[in-house]
Amino acid sequence: MSKPRLVVAITGASGAIYGVRLLQALRESGACESHLVMSSSGVMTAQQELDLRRSDIEALADVVHNVKDIGATIASGSFRSAGMVVAPCSMKTLASIAHGLADNLVARAADVMLKERRRLVLVARETPLNLAHLRNMTSVTEMGGIIFPPVPAFYTRPGSLDELVDHTVGRLLDLFDLPHDGLVKRWEGMNKQTSEQRSQ
């Protein structure tokens, strides 16, 4: 494997921008081979929120897989990868992963990550959360997955929606030790923040 592979799934929760921006960042860095799988609801949400067609998003990935293709390479533990990000992760997809249903390629690929002890990160997007959501998040966490709600970091004093999204995407890439340029404003301590504010 010449460079690491990362599986990126986009499902039908609000927040398609997170998956799209992640693919863009991976392409910009060139440090990782991206493997994309999108649910039909994910495609529909991206069109609604971003005016992007399936082909627009697929063009950002190195390899594209059909969500119905359970025989795809990423459905096997023998396919080596650094892990998988589901961004955004719908509560339906969360439930499928938590209960090991493997009923489509997104859930099957996530199941592979868990059984192979690879990093699985779910950008769970829903609010408020009911008890089923919370229990499913607990189940995935107990199996070794990471629940990563896209909570904005306001200490960075973001000036735009793009900055909020970039910060989240940068933190996702950090979890896989993948390089990125300027997506995250690192916390440098309260004293530095206070002195900077005074100088403004």
Side-chain angles (χ1 to χ4, degrees), residues 13 15 33 35 72 74 115 117 121 129 134 160 167-168 181 184:
E33 180 180 284
H35 285 251
I74 61 174
K115 78 182 184 69
R117 306 300 191 266
V121 182
L129 300 168
L134 294 169
S160 68
H167 186 86
T168 294
D181 185 23
V184 174

Side-chain angles (χ1 to χ4, degrees), residues 64-113:
V64 177
H65 302 277
N66 189 305
V67 71
K68 296 179 181 179
D69 184 11
I70 297 299
T73 55
I74 61 174
S76 172
S78 66
F79 179 83
R80 298 181 63 189
S81 72
M84 178 176 182
V85 178
V86 184
C89 180
S90 69
M91 293 300 100
K92 178 184 177 184
T93 298
L94 169 68
S96 295
I97 295 169
H99 294 278
L101 300 183
D103 52 350
N104 62 31
L105 186 57
V106 175
R108 171 57 188 169
D111 192 63
V112 166
M113 299 303 159

Side-chain angles (χ1 to χ4, degrees), residues 9-17 19-20 36-54 57 67 86-90 93 104 106:
I10 297 176
T11 65
S14 181
I17 192 169
V20 170
L36 171 66
V37 55
M38 287 188 289
S39 70
S40 56
S41 297
V43 173
M44 191 166 59
T45 304
Q47 185 174 9
Q48 171 68 29
E49 295 182 346
L50 303 172
D51 292 324
L52 292 177
R53 298 168 297 175
R54 177 190 290 273
I57 301 171
V67 71
V86 184
C89 180
S90 69
T93 298
N104 62 31
V106 175

Side-chain angles (χ1 to χ4, degrees), residues 7 9 100 122 124 156 159 169:
V7 178
L122 307 183
T156 64
V169 169

Side-chain angles (χ1 to χ4, degrees), residues 1-196:
M1 192 166 60
S2 58
K3 58 183 177 179
R5 299 161 171 159
L6 186 67
V7 178
V8 177
I10 297 176
T11 65
S14 181
I17 192 169
Y18 293 109
V20 170
R21 186 68 187 102
L22 177 59
L23 289 169
Q24 290 172 338
L26 291 171
R27 171 144 292 193
E28 288 164 7
S29 74
C32 187
E33 180 180 284
S34 59
H35 285 251
L36 171 66
V37 55
M38 287 188 289
S39 70
S40 56
S41 297
V43 173
M44 191 166 59
T45 304
Q47 185 174 9
Q48 171 68 29
E49 295 182 346
L50 303 172
D51 292 324
L52 292 177
R53 298 168 297 175
R54 177 190 290 273
S55 58
D56 297 325
I57 301 171
E58 290 180 343
L60 298 172
D62 294 308
V63 182
V64 177
H65 302 277
N66 189 305
V67 71
K68 296 179 181 179
D69 184 11
I70 297 299
T73 55
I74 61 174
S76 172
S78 66
F79 179 83
R80 298 181 63 189
S81 72
M84 178 176 182
V85 178
V86 184
C89 180
S90 69
M91 293 300 100
K92 178 184 177 184
T93 298
L94 169 68
S96 295
I97 295 169
H99 294 278
L101 300 183
D103 52 350
N104 62 31
L105 186 57
V106 175
R108 171 57 188 169
D111 192 63
V112 166
M113 299 303 159
L114 293 173
K115 78 182 184 69
E116 298 293 332
R117 306 300 191 266
R118 296 174 188 154
R119 181 145 287 184
L120 172 66
V121 182
L122 307 183
V123 183
R125 174 58 185 82
E126 185 59 275
T127 190
L129 300 168
N130 67 34
L131 187 55
H133 302 154
L134 294 169
R135 284 178 172 162
N136 288 335
M137 289 179 184
T138 298
S139 293
V140 170
T141 302
E142 289 173 341
M143 289 187 282
I146 296 175
I147 303 299
F148 191 111
V151 179
F154 290 106
Y155 66 82
T156 64
R157 300 204 171 194
S160 68
L161 178 60
D162 286 343
E163 287 183 19
L164 285 173
V165 171
D166 280 354
H167 186 86
T168 294
V169 169
R171 294 296 306 278
L172 287 170
L173 293 171
D174 284 349
L175 288 174
F176 294 89
D177 292 323
L178 291 171
H180 55 83
D181 185 23
L183 294 179
V184 174
K185 292 181 181 177
R186 307 288 180 188
W187 177 250
E188 297 182 2
M190 186 65 74
N191 290 337
K192 182 173 177 58
Q193 290 285 112
T194 303
S195 62
E196 286 179 352

